[in-house]
Amino acid sequence: MRVSYEWLKEMVDLSGIDADELAESLTRTGVAVDAVEDRNPGVQRVVVGRVKSVEPHPGAERLRVCRVDVGQEDLLQIVCGAPNVAEGQLVPVALEGAELPGDVRIKRAKLRGVESQGMICSAGELGLPEKLLPKELTEGILVLTEEAKVGQDIRSLLGMDDKVLELDLTPNRSDCLSMIGMAYEAGAVFDRSLRLPEPKELPVTGAELPVSVAVESEADCPVYAAQVVDGLRLGPSPQWMQNRLIAAGVRPINNIVDVTNYVMLEYGQPLHAFDYDQVSGGRILVRRARQGERLETLDGVTRECDQDTILITDGDKPLGLAGVMGGANSEVKDGTTRVLIESACFDPVLIRRTSRRLGLRSEASNRFEKGVDRSRIVPALKRAVQLLVEVAGGRVASLIVLEKSGDVDEKIIPVRHGRIVSLMGADIGEEDVMDIFRRLRFPVKKEENVYHVQVPSRRNDLNIEVDIIEEVARLYGYNRIPAVFLQGSQGRGGLTREQRLRRTIRHTLRYLGMNEAVTYSLTSPQWEKGLSLHPDARPIPLSMPISDERSVLRTSLLPHLLQSAAYNVHRRQEHVALFEIGRTYLAEKQPLTDLPEERWELAGLWTGPMGPVHWREQTASDFYRVKGILESLFARLGIEGVEFLPDRPEGFHPGRTAEIRIGGRFAGILGQIHPRLSDELDLKETFAFQLDMEVLLDAAKTDLLFRPIPRYPASTRDLAIVVDAGVPAAEVEKVIRRAAGEHLESVTLFDVYTGEQVGNEKKSLAYSLVYRAEDRTLTDEEVAKFHQAVVDELERVFGARLRT
């Protein structure tokens, strides 16, 4: 919000208070002022002049020799090159010794042999913001209206003697989106009197034009007021009105549209003017849009509406998007002589939805979505009609037609004095509190130590006791509240079980040679095909994505890890080992009717050569090395009962992928990324895993038990057996552990062989078995007995035979 200091001075007594002091005091009391802008960019000694004559330059085809009256005894001779200079015009004239923006100084000079005693200025040369000026005023010299007086200082005419306060308002202070609201605020801060406009309803003169209003849903539009003005003469608005609009950052258009914008800035109540001749029968119907209904708005764009869009119609055709922008079919244009002025209140939620969905923000939608003061709807309409009569020569052609549901409820909030003192931490007296309510112009009744505060309708941000206490505190002065040390007991901080386990997982994977990555939660739909633990989940699209690459919420962590791996490989980082702990977002239906499910997941990948070990050079990544990393992680978390079962999920190699189950629950996937996908990303063989953190954490143990280093030696026996090729090694290991008994310390598979020596459809599995007793040294006879029991059980269960 941009606030004109000179305009504000008309509404509140600011004598003795300059713009900088006003800005500082407003900021201290909670209405932040980002900057104070001086509207004079450096113009000195520029006055209004009237062009008396224009003659061709004798030595230059494009130059003109002008005789200009600037209120001095003699006319000035000025050489001008603007093509639009003409006799009789009122123009800004820079006198000898004048200063213009950009350190330009005007001196008497000769141009092609003809003396020039000044310069006729354009809008750009005066430093006026050309984007806020009509196009015709930015081409050539600036032609002034007949309001200007010869010899008048151009600064006072164009409002350059004003200063503008740029406010940084919080969303709750919608009352400060108007000059009247700022007058109340400044009056409260400085305890000054107000001089607010008091519009009166003008009587109908001449023939009355028909107008009717109907609202389908009172919840969508609680109040709608309309009135017709006839006999209008379209043209530029007065200079004083243009000055104030430009100071507020609004471009003047014509006197009719400018009046609606001016009253919006003054009252905070958006208005709209419809060409009455385009409103069939003067009927207004406010209704929801039908699915697929379209409307071309004032910016020339055809908008498609949905069922949450409120439309202003005449019963036959749409006329405008309620609270957002009017329609092109009913806009004020050349030839418009009759308008229907709308002043209304719409559902803030629906206005915000429509504005966001269409990507169409306007000054009107900004105010409607924050909530307007319903008590100002009719006064704003009266004010607009008054101004149209004054500046556009109109006549009132109808009474005010008002359609509303109920009245504004009176809001009274009880506030305890003890609560004020407690929250502020300052010993403020009851007289001071009552004085602050007087300055805020809040009616209040006091009973014992409780204030019953009546909140004006303009302050829709005040709803509970602490809101009123905040008003008292900021007007009392935050700088007057004493600083004290915090007191009270403080509990000991700590991590939750899930946080501790996630930290353990991160540390473990880092120690195992992996690097943690943090990737985007937004991804592309093409990456959401496969590679997910939830193949039935549907990606959730964004309503307004920044780009196609960030248009849906991810259902898997692996796609971005693969992209990160490819990025590093393309920059000559051959070995990449990444993991990420993050959320995925799952929805079964589209469009969303409920909040999506957010699940924590763990994903990782290895590509390129593994690090070297002491007895051999580095080798390529393989399934078993990555499987060993996961087994080390499970061991660190104390997770038992882990199974790896063959699987063929989408996006993975069909013969090198396993499903992971923990305690019988599906926990994730481990396997090689499909070669076709790896080739697309220029990756070598890449192995990845993805785990459901909920299953992982449920099975994890936070308190691990450690035992001392064994005191007695172990006995190691190797066992090589031949079994059918389809027998899983994991099943063999289970049988070995069951048959060996309690003294078996570990089982390690160190070799798998298939070939002619073991026969077709057979394979050889070689295990290293370690036996140890905690209370004694095992004898060879005991170890042989345990080992033979293992051989016998393998032969019985699998038909295994020892390989010789």
Side-chain angles (χ1 to χ4, degrees):
M1 178 69 181
R2 291 169 57 88
V3 176
S4 164
Y5 175 75
E6 293 296 327
W7 191 359
L8 188 63
K9 276 174 60 176
E10 290 188 4
M11 295 187 176
V12 60
D13 178 16
L14 293 178
S15 56
I17 302 169
D18 61 20
D20 293 319
E21 184 181 351
L22 173 63
E24 182 180 352
S25 297
L26 288 175
T27 301
R28 280 205 310 264
T29 53
V31 179
V33 179
D34 280 347
V36 178
E37 174 189 314
D38 192 337
R39 289 207 60 212
N40 184 358
V43 175
Q44 301 287 341
R45 286 182 57 79
V46 179
V47 299
V48 176
R50 185 176 294 274
V51 180
K52 291 296 186 179
S53 65
V54 179
E55 297 176 358
H57 191 288
E61 182 180 347
R62 296 186 179 182
L63 296 180
R64 304 287 187 274
V65 179
C66 305
R67 306 284 290 180
V68 184
D69 178 12
V70 294
Q72 298 178 0
E73 292 183 5
D74 299 324
L75 299 181
L76 298 183
Q77 177 176 287
I78 299 177
V79 178
C80 179
N84 65 326
V85 65
E87 184 178 327
Q89 290 175 335
L90 288 169
V91 294
V93 178
L95 304 177
E96 184 180 354
E99 296 179 7
L100 298 177
D103 293 330
V104 176
R105 296 181 181 274
I106 305 302
K107 300 178 181 179
R108 187 183 296 239
K110 282 189 176 183
L111 299 177
R112 296 289 183 94
V114 177
E115 186 178 43
S116 181
Q117 298 172 319
M119 184 174 77
I120 301 176
C121 302
S122 67
E125 289 165 338
L126 293 175
L128 296 177
E130 295 190 5
K131 66 178 182 180
L132 296 179
L133 295 177
K135 184 178 180 181
E136 60 271 15
L137 297 183
T138 61
E139 297 175 347
I141 61 169
L142 177 63
V143 180
L144 305 172
T145 65
E146 289 300 320
E147 300 173 64
K149 297 179 181 179
V150 173
Q152 181 181 1
D153 193 323
I154 200 69
R155 294 174 298 183
S156 62
L157 176 67
L158 300 181
M160 291 184 176
D161 52 358
D162 192 9
K163 291 191 176 182
V164 177
L165 282 66
E166 295 187 13
L167 306 185
D168 182 14
L169 296 176
T170 53
N172 63 310
R173 291 307 302 271
S174 61
D175 60 300
C176 292
L177 289 172
S178 68
M179 296 302 299
I180 291 178
M182 284 306 302
Y184 276 110
E185 183 69 16
V189 171
F190 294 101
D191 194 13
R192 296 295 180 89
S193 59
L194 303 182
R195 300 183 291 267
L196 304 180
E198 297 180 0
K200 296 180 181 179
E201 185 173 357
L202 299 179
V204 178
T205 57
E208 185 172 346
L209 296 175
V211 58
S212 63
V213 175
V215 177
E216 281 192 354
S217 172
E218 295 177 350
D220 293 348
C221 179
V223 183
Y224 193 100
Q227 192 169 19
V228 179
V229 182
D230 192 6
L232 296 168
R233 296 188 299 273
L234 194 70
S237 54
Q239 190 64 54
W240 62 267
M241 183 176 288
Q242 291 189 39
N243 292 343
R244 291 181 175 180
L245 291 176
I246 293 172
V250 177
R251 182 168 64 91
I253 299 174
N254 56 58
N255 49 5
I256 298 176
V257 175
D258 289 354
V259 163
T260 62
N261 287 332
Y262 181 86
V263 175
M264 177 187 67
L265 295 171
E266 190 174 54
Y267 279 79
Q269 171 61 45
L271 305 173
H272 188 70
F274 298 100
D275 188 329
Y276 180 80
D277 294 327
Q278 303 302 319
V279 181
S280 179
R283 297 189 304 272
I284 292 293
L285 172 63
V286 184
R287 62 169 174 83
R288 293 282 187 101
R290 302 180 182 94
Q291 192 66 37
E293 198 165 6
R294 293 172 177 264
L295 171 69
E296 182 183 351
T297 48
L298 291 173
D299 56 0
V301 179
T302 299
R303 314 278 181 177
E304 184 168 338
C305 308
D306 64 8
Q307 295 177 349
D308 282 339
T309 305
I310 307 175
L311 287 181
I312 308 299
T313 74
D314 60 5
D316 298 326
K317 63 180 180 298
L319 301 174
L321 297 173
V324 180
M325 186 173 287
N329 58 357
S330 60
E331 72 172 313
V332 174
K333 53 186 177 298
D334 292 341
T336 298
T337 59
R338 302 189 291 186
V339 295
L340 184 148
I341 305 295
E342 164 197 280
S343 182
C345 173
F346 303 106
D347 183 352
V349 175
L350 294 180
I351 298 302
R352 180 167 177 79
R353 286 178 184 171
T354 299
S355 176
R356 286 176 61 86
R357 183 179 64 82
L358 298 177
L360 185 61
R361 297 299 299 275
S362 63
E363 291 287 345
S365 67
N366 183 39
R367 286 164 172 80
F368 276 125
E369 67 188 27
K370 291 177 172 60
V372 297
D373 182 359
R374 289 175 58 174
S375 68
R376 293 184 190 169
I377 292 175
V378 174
L381 179 60
K382 294 178 181 178
R383 175 69 165 158
V385 170
Q386 276 185 348
L387 289 173
L388 285 176
V389 172
E390 292 176 14
V391 306
R395 71 170 186 88
V396 180
S398 79
L399 297 173
I400 294 176
V401 178
L402 178 63
E403 182 72 19
K404 70 174 183 177
S405 57
D407 296 318
V408 180
D409 294 333
E410 186 180 77
K411 189 189 302 183
I412 298 179
I413 301 175
V415 182
R416 297 161 291 174
H417 184 80
R419 185 65 170 159
I420 295 175
V421 174
S422 173
L423 288 182
M424 287 179 54
D427 189 15
I428 182 172
E430 294 182 0
E431 297 80 6
D432 293 333
V433 175
M434 290 295 290
D435 186 62
I436 288 173
F437 290 142
R438 177 191 60 80
R439 290 161 55 190
L440 288 167
R441 290 170 174 79
F442 289 178
V444 59
K445 292 183 179 179
K446 183 173 177 297
E447 295 180 0
E448 296 181 355
N449 291 324
V450 178
Y451 309 94
H452 296 275
V453 182
Q454 181 179 338
V455 179
S457 57
R458 68 177 185 273
R459 294 299 304 273
N460 58 18
D461 59 312
L462 306 180
N463 298 291
I464 56 178
E465 183 183 38
V466 292
D467 294 337
I468 303 297
I469 295 175
E470 182 181 9
E471 291 296 297
V472 174
R474 69 185 189 87
L475 266 296
Y476 178 75
Y478 293 126
N479 57 319
R480 296 175 60 190
I481 298 175
V484 295
F485 288 107
L486 293 176
Q487 296 180 348
S489 59
Q490 183 176 359
R492 181 179 179 183
L495 301 177
T496 64
R497 177 180 182 272
E498 289 76 12
Q499 290 171 332
R500 292 199 307 273
L501 289 173
R502 282 201 293 266
R503 180 172 292 185
T504 299
I505 292 171
R506 287 188 171 96
H507 290 173
T508 302
L509 292 177
R510 289 172 190 158
Y511 298 154
L512 291 170
M514 303 187 75
N515 296 303
E516 184 173 8
V518 179
T519 63
Y520 290 106
S521 296
L522 301 174
T523 186
S524 168
Q526 70 176 15
W527 281 101
E528 288 302 298
K529 299 175 182 178
L531 297 176
S532 175
L533 296 180
H534 314 279
D536 296 331
R538 301 181 62 182
I540 302 168
L542 271 65
S543 58
M544 295 178 63
I546 298 175
S547 66
D548 291 339
E549 295 181 354
R550 301 282 182 265
S551 59
V552 297
L553 288 168
R554 65 186 179 189
T555 60
S556 170
L557 302 180
L558 282 179
H560 278 311
L561 288 181
L562 285 168
Q563 289 177 299
S564 298
Y567 180 90
N568 282 275
V569 168
H570 293 161
R571 285 153 182 80
R572 299 185 180 182
Q573 300 296 318
E574 295 182 358
H575 166 66
V576 179
L578 301 174
F579 76 93
E580 180 176 9
I581 299 175
R583 286 190 177 97
T584 57
Y585 306 86
L586 312 176
E588 296 181 357
K589 297 180 180 179
Q590 296 288 356
L592 288 177
T593 55
D594 297 312
L595 290 175
E597 180 184 5
E598 299 185 22
R599 297 188 70 88
W600 282 96
E601 295 186 4
L602 166 65
L605 64 80
W606 284 74
T607 188
M610 294 277 211
V613 291
H614 62 277
W615 67 83
R616 63 182 178 185
E617 298 297 327
Q618 60 182 7
T619 59
S621 305
D622 62 37
F623 176 90
Y624 297 104
R625 291 288 295 272
V626 179
K627 176 173 176 283
I629 290 172
L630 284 184
E631 289 174 334
S632 298
L633 175 63
F634 295 150
R636 176 64 184 85
L637 297 175
I639 297 176
E640 300 175 347
V642 180
E643 297 178 283
F644 296 87
L645 306 175
D647 198 5
R648 301 168 66 91
E650 185 179 357
F652 286 85
H653 192 296
R656 299 181 181 178
T657 304
E659 172 188 317
I660 304 173
R661 289 189 170 271
I662 299 177
R665 296 174 63 186
F666 174 76
I669 296 171
L670 162 65
Q672 181 182 342
I673 298 298
H674 199 287
R676 182 174 58 252
L677 180 56
S678 296
D679 291 342
E680 290 178 5
L681 296 170
D682 295 329
L683 295 176
K684 296 180 180 179
E685 289 188 352
T686 302
F687 294 86
F689 60 85
Q690 187 159 250
L691 299 172
D692 188 327
M693 287 289 288
E694 180 179 338
V695 178
L696 200 65
L697 298 183
D698 286 347
K701 298 175 182 177
T702 53
D703 298 323
L704 299 180
L705 297 178
F706 295 87
R707 63 180 184 180
I709 296 174
R711 297 177 58 189
Y712 300 95
S715 296
T716 303
R717 296 289 187 275
D718 291 341
L719 175 65
I721 59 173
V722 178
V723 295
D724 293 339
V727 175
E731 294 298 322
V732 175
E733 182 177 333
K734 287 182 181 179
V735 172
I736 292 175
R737 290 185 179 279
R738 184 176 67 242
E742 61 178 351
H743 295 304
L744 179 65
E745 186 176 79
S746 66
V747 179
T748 304
L749 176 67
F750 65 85
D751 183 62
V752 178
Y753 173 76
T754 56
E756 296 180 357
Q757 296 184 18
V758 296
N760 294 331
E761 304 298 327
K762 297 289 185 177
K763 65 180 177 182
S764 170
L765 302 176
Y767 292 90
S768 176
L769 281 64
V770 177
Y771 299 93
R772 190 196 306 269
E774 294 184 358
D775 57 347
R776 68 185 191 282
T777 300
L778 294 175
T779 63
D780 288 343
E781 291 77 11
E782 288 177 310
V783 173
K785 180 179 178 181
F786 301 149
H787 200 63
Q788 186 60 44
V790 170
V791 173
D792 295 342
E793 186 67 9
L794 291 174
E795 182 179 1
R796 185 186 70 80
V797 175
F798 301 112
R801 60 181 175 83
L802 291 176
R803 182 182 175 189
T804 58

